[in-house]
Amino acid sequence: MAWRSSGSTNAELIANMLRYGVFSSERVAAAMTKVDRANYVLDKGDAYIDSPQRIGYDATISAPHMHAHAAENLLPYLHPGARVLDVGSGSGYLSAVLFHLVNAPGSGGKGKVVGIEHIEELVQWSKENLRRDGLSKEMDEGRIIMIAGDGRQGWPSEGPYDAIHVGAAAPTMPQALIEQLARPGRMFIPVGTREQKIVQVDKDTEGKVTQKELIDVLYVPLTDR
């Protein structure tokens, strides 16, 4: 039903995704409603269409329903005060959604999101987008950090991370990202080249890692160039 979920406003887009069962979490809906997708796309007229959009430099922003799936999958680990790594952060959209999820009202505002993107121009644009969307104070305080770097290597200095989202397809599972998962922690990552699947990677309190394939997908490749 994802194709029926588009709206004329951000709130309508989110409401339609809930209505048609694209996702079910009210927490995710509340966080997505706080993040205006029009601030994170190039074509403002298509901001509330449930489809991916090109954002330049051979990069895309995923369809809203995929962002909703990712957030809902990671939700058990997006507790107040959690640390989150958003790999391939692109325009900054999901970084903002994840930030709201780990900084719910009354949580003390200790949650932190690190976005890492290998295209310097997109990193700078994402910072502008986040400020435009009302998150300047949070960026100035270092609670949202947007970094240029090789996402396959993660960003260990801010870890370990309770949740890791990867927004581009790795040809094989990046061991560095698994190592940066907290105990417990979860990663949502597309893996593969010609055939890709979303893989849920869980690390338990003892450090045991399990992997579960979820759905077939088609993402741009995770790369450093």
Side-chain angles (χ1 to χ4, degrees):
M1 290 293 186
W3 61 274
R4 300 175 62 180
S5 301
S6 300
S8 58
T9 65
N10 193 64
E12 188 175 90
L13 166 66
I14 309 308
N16 283 341
M17 286 197 292
L18 278 174
R19 176 185 178 189
Y20 291 114
V22 173
F23 73 108
S24 60
S25 168
E26 293 291 343
R27 276 188 64 201
V28 172
M32 292 183 74
T33 300
K34 292 177 180 178
V35 183
D36 190 342
R37 196 167 183 261
N39 288 323
Y40 300 88
V41 298
L42 293 176
D43 189 345
K44 309 301 183 186
D46 289 339
Y48 310 124
I49 294 177
D50 190 13
S51 66
Q53 290 189 38
R54 295 190 177 278
I55 55 175
Y57 310 97
D58 294 323
T60 61
I61 178 175
S62 295
H65 72 269
M66 283 306 304
H67 282 146
H69 283 317
E72 195 163 52
N73 176 266
L74 295 171
L75 197 59
Y77 298 85
L78 299 176
H79 51 78
R83 285 180 174 253
V84 184
L85 179 64
D86 184 17
V87 176
S89 49
S91 69
Y93 173 82
L94 191 60
S95 295
V97 173
L98 295 169
F99 180 81
H100 287 298
L101 282 166
V102 298
N103 288 281
S107 67
K110 297 185 181 299
K112 189 168 191 175
V113 174
V114 177
I116 184 167
E117 167 62 55
H118 74 279
I119 301 169
E120 177 66 41
E121 291 86 352
L122 286 180
V123 174
Q124 296 306 314
W125 183 51
S126 70
K127 292 177 180 179
E128 296 170 8
N129 296 340
L130 289 159
R131 291 186 184 280
R132 188 181 305 113
D133 208 33
L135 292 169
S136 290
K137 180 174 182 259
E138 291 78 1
M139 293 184 67
D140 293 342
E141 293 174 345
R143 295 160 61 204
I144 304 177
I145 302 174
M146 308 305 284
I147 296 164
D150 183 352
R152 297 169 299 184
Q153 302 305 314
W155 199 255
S157 63
E158 292 290 343
Y161 300 98
D162 302 281
I164 298 177
H165 167 264
V166 183
T172 59
M173 183 65 66
Q175 184 61 33
L177 296 182
I178 292 177
E179 291 172 358
Q180 290 169 46
L181 273 176
R183 303 182 180 188
R186 174 174 289 178
M187 176 164 58
F188 178 99
I189 177 172
V191 179
T193 51
R194 295 179 64 183
E195 295 183 1
Q196 302 173 3
K197 293 184 181 293
I198 293 292
V199 180
Q200 174 185 307
V201 181
D202 287 313
K203 183 183 287 187
D204 68 16
T205 54
E206 302 301 319
K208 180 183 177 181
V209 175
T210 57
Q211 300 184 22
K212 177 182 178 182
E213 293 184 349
L214 301 180
I215 57 174
D216 295 323
V217 290
L218 181 61
Y219 277 70
V220 298
L222 182 64
T223 180
D224 64 349
R225 60 179 65 87

